[in-house]
Amino acid sequence: MKKLMYAAVGGIIGGAVLSTQVAGPLLAQEQVRNASVYEQLDLFGDIFERIRQNYVEEVDEAELIEAAINGMLISLDPHSSYISANDFEDMQVQTRGEFGGLGIEVTQEDGFVRVITPMDDTPAMDAGVEAGDFITHVDGEALLGLTLSEAVDLMRGPVGSDIQITIVREGADEPFDLVITRDRIQLTAVRARLEGNTAILRVSTFSDQTFPNLRDGLEGLIEELGGLENLNGVVLDLRNNPGGLLTQAIRVSDAFLEQGEIVSTRGREPQDGERYNATPGDMIEGRPMVVLINGGSASASEIVAGALQDHRRAVIVGTNSFGKGSVQSVMPLAGSGAMRLTTSLYYTPSGRSIQALGVAPDIIVEQRDPIIEEEDEDGLPARTEASLRGAIENSSLTEDELRLLEEERAAVEATAALRNEDYQLAYAIDILTGLNALGPN
């Protein structure tokens, strides 16, 4: 018994010695690290005082501190930043779908402002701004060296006022200027329409209006068709959609999934991760889907495309998406401002991160410019059997069959016209038509 007791005591003493041996160096390292941090903070305070006292002009201390905070945040990644009180208020208005400006989603790359995408029916899109453009000057003032917030401030102004931006575009020989008239931007989150029996859902942004707009629009189209059984399928158009609210991306994905994971987020610590799953119920009960994406599809758009792709719920068509796979948390700060900080990465259901990679389409389809059709040399229509003099008429069809044939021909001609207007969209409709021609699985 005594031997056991001695062994226990020895174990306790040994454990204490081992703990001390391990914890001692760790504690010393932490103390050295803290001392280094305090030295750096002292250095910051010293520099701040020297600037305040010795700079050639009098400085605004609040602006100086704000610039230092923003510099600290933007050194982390392109999406972390300080949000001033005014910008924070504007951002809250934007998530409700109405704000003033040019109508472009931008980021910063190599010191220049890069356009993620122009938004639908906005002054920027009407003026010809394209995804991937670099904005180098605003009204002749260079943006190089400015923070993203400062560059965006230069682009803001009274509604109705003009702004000149200088664009550098890949494939263009020289930079060129565009004059844009600022306007109040009122985004319609989802536009729903029919092309034949195919529902086209154009989602331009993920604001708090997105899912309600999508649900109401789709239900209206199904009613217009006379029931779900008449629906050919759905094209979910996410081209040039810069993203928005994660919650709305989850709801849009859930609208077409019966079960399974939609997206997961993983932060610095394992306990910070979140997983979001679909709930039972598919609005179109398994009918085929195509999702359209391009280089302007970012963030929340990529969550939806990735979820539907991994579940094999939709065919992804278009070009590679933008590749913004990080999640920003907006944290209100004292003084009515806020901090946008990258806190996690999101992962598609198969466990892939699309950060800096994007979502690769199942079928790569480049958009092409409209083709101007030319007449034959004689200006005459193409010769067919029916155009020949004395050709035997086909009398094997009833009036109803002839009418149906004409309707089908008109639908084909409409698709052909759409192919010239929007090649990617027409391609998506062709895929759905082909899937339906094969019949149910």
Side-chain angles (χ1 to χ4, degrees):
M1 182 70 179
K2 288 183 179 180
K3 288 182 181 179
L4 289 174
M5 187 177 295
Y6 291 149
V9 172
I12 293 169
I13 294 171
V17 172
L18 183 62
S19 299
T20 304
Q21 289 175 342
V22 173
L26 291 177
L27 186 61
Q29 289 175 13
E30 184 66 21
Q31 289 173 342
V32 169
R33 183 180 174 185
N34 287 341
S36 176
V37 170
Y38 291 136
E39 286 175 3
Q40 294 297 315
L41 288 174
D42 287 341
L43 175 62
F44 173 80
D46 183 32
I47 292 173
F48 174 78
E49 279 301 319
R50 293 190 183 212
I51 292 172
R52 197 166 67 89
Q53 294 177 11
N54 301 321
Y55 186 66
V56 64
E57 295 177 353
E58 189 173 347
V59 296
D60 185 312
E61 289 91 345
E63 288 184 1
L64 201 59
I65 292 173
E66 185 176 304
I69 293 170
N70 198 46
M72 180 167 53
L73 287 165
I74 64 175
S75 71
L76 300 173
D77 65 79
H79 306 293
S80 295
S81 63
Y82 174 73
I83 308 170
S84 68
N86 288 338
D87 290 345
F88 188 36
E89 184 178 349
D90 289 345
M91 187 187 73
Q92 291 171 308
V93 171
Q94 182 171 341
T95 60
R96 294 194 293 271
E98 181 176 338
F99 57 99
L102 304 180
I104 49 175
E105 182 79 10
V106 294
T107 186
Q108 197 163 42
E109 190 173 305
D110 299 327
F112 294 107
V113 174
R114 184 173 187 258
V115 177
I116 297 176
T117 183
M119 299 173 187
D120 287 351
D121 300 326
T122 61
M125 176 164 277
D126 293 342
V129 177
E130 297 181 3
D133 285 348
F134 284 92
I135 302 176
T136 61
H137 294 73
V138 170
D139 288 331
E141 183 175 344
L143 301 186
L144 186 62
L146 299 183
T147 66
L148 185 59
S149 237
E150 290 169 337
V152 170
D153 283 342
L154 283 180
M155 288 186 269
R156 289 198 175 115
V159 170
S161 61
D162 288 340
I163 177 176
Q164 178 180 286
I165 60 174
T166 303
I167 297 285
V168 172
R169 178 176 296 167
E170 185 178 355
D173 294 334
E174 298 287 342
F176 59 92
D177 295 330
L178 291 176
V179 176
I180 305 176
T181 303
R182 297 179 178 97
D183 199 359
R184 181 159 295 280
I185 310 301
Q186 295 184 351
L187 292 179
T188 301
V190 181
R191 289 181 174 86
R193 76 177 199 274
L194 288 172
E195 286 287 344
N197 283 20
T198 300
I200 313 297
L201 301 175
R202 167 64 187 146
V203 183
S204 59
T205 186
F206 285 90
S207 68
D208 57 8
Q209 304 170 14
T210 300
F211 176 72
N213 284 176
L214 181 140
R215 178 195 59 214
D216 296 345
L218 182 55
E219 288 176 351
L221 295 182
I222 292 171
E223 184 179 348
E224 186 178 338
L225 286 172
L228 189 58
E229 64 276 7
N230 297 320
L231 180 68
N232 190 41
V234 167
V235 176
L236 189 64
D237 187 353
L238 301 178
R239 292 174 297 176
N240 294 326
N241 183 321
L245 300 176
L246 173 63
T247 52
Q248 292 294 307
I250 292 167
R251 295 188 73 185
V252 168
S253 303
D254 194 9
F256 303 104
L257 293 172
E258 288 282 0
Q259 60 182 0
E261 182 179 306
I262 293 172
V263 67
S264 63
T265 62
R266 304 176 199 173
R268 183 172 174 177
E269 302 296 337
Q271 63 269 22
D272 294 337
E274 296 282 350
R275 192 179 302 274
Y276 302 91
N277 295 315
T279 56
D282 176 352
M283 287 188 69
I284 57 173
E285 298 180 4
R287 280 162 178 76
M289 287 186 68
V290 171
V291 175
L292 283 174
I293 60 171
N294 64 6
S297 307
S299 191
S301 300
E302 295 172 293
I303 290 175
V304 175
L308 296 178
Q309 184 180 51
D310 282 1
H311 283 286
R312 298 184 179 275
R313 181 63 188 88
V315 180
I316 312 301
V317 172
T319 55
N320 211 78
S321 64
F322 184 76
K324 182 183 178 294
S326 59
V327 180
Q328 283 69 48
S329 298
V330 177
M331 307 172 183
L333 301 172
S336 301
M339 173 174 66
R340 183 189 288 110
L341 186 67
T342 300
T343 52
S344 57
L345 299 176
Y346 66 75
Y347 293 77
T348 68
S350 64
R352 60 186 167 128
S353 167
I354 60 172
Q355 172 60 25
L357 295 176
V359 173
D362 299 310
I363 304 174
I364 297 176
V365 179
E366 299 278 354
Q367 187 69 292
R368 72 182 191 189
D369 294 330
I371 299 171
I372 300 174
E373 297 182 359
E374 297 180 358
E375 292 183 345
D376 294 340
E377 292 181 5
D378 299 331
L380 299 173
R383 288 170 62 84
T384 66
E385 172 71 16
S387 68
L388 297 178
R389 180 179 298 175
I392 300 172
E393 293 184 2
N394 189 329
S395 58
S396 65
L397 300 177
T398 66
E399 289 186 5
D400 288 341
E401 288 172 333
L402 282 170
R403 187 176 66 253
L404 182 61
L405 183 63
E406 287 299 322
E407 289 174 358
E408 290 175 348
R409 183 177 298 161
V412 170
E413 290 175 353
T415 302
L418 178 63
R419 190 175 292 111
N420 201 35
E421 177 186 333
D422 187 339
Y423 183 73
Q424 290 174 322
L425 179 58
Y427 197 104
I429 294 172
D430 286 343
I431 291 173
L432 292 178
T433 302
L435 290 172
N436 277 281
L438 295 175
N441 295 331

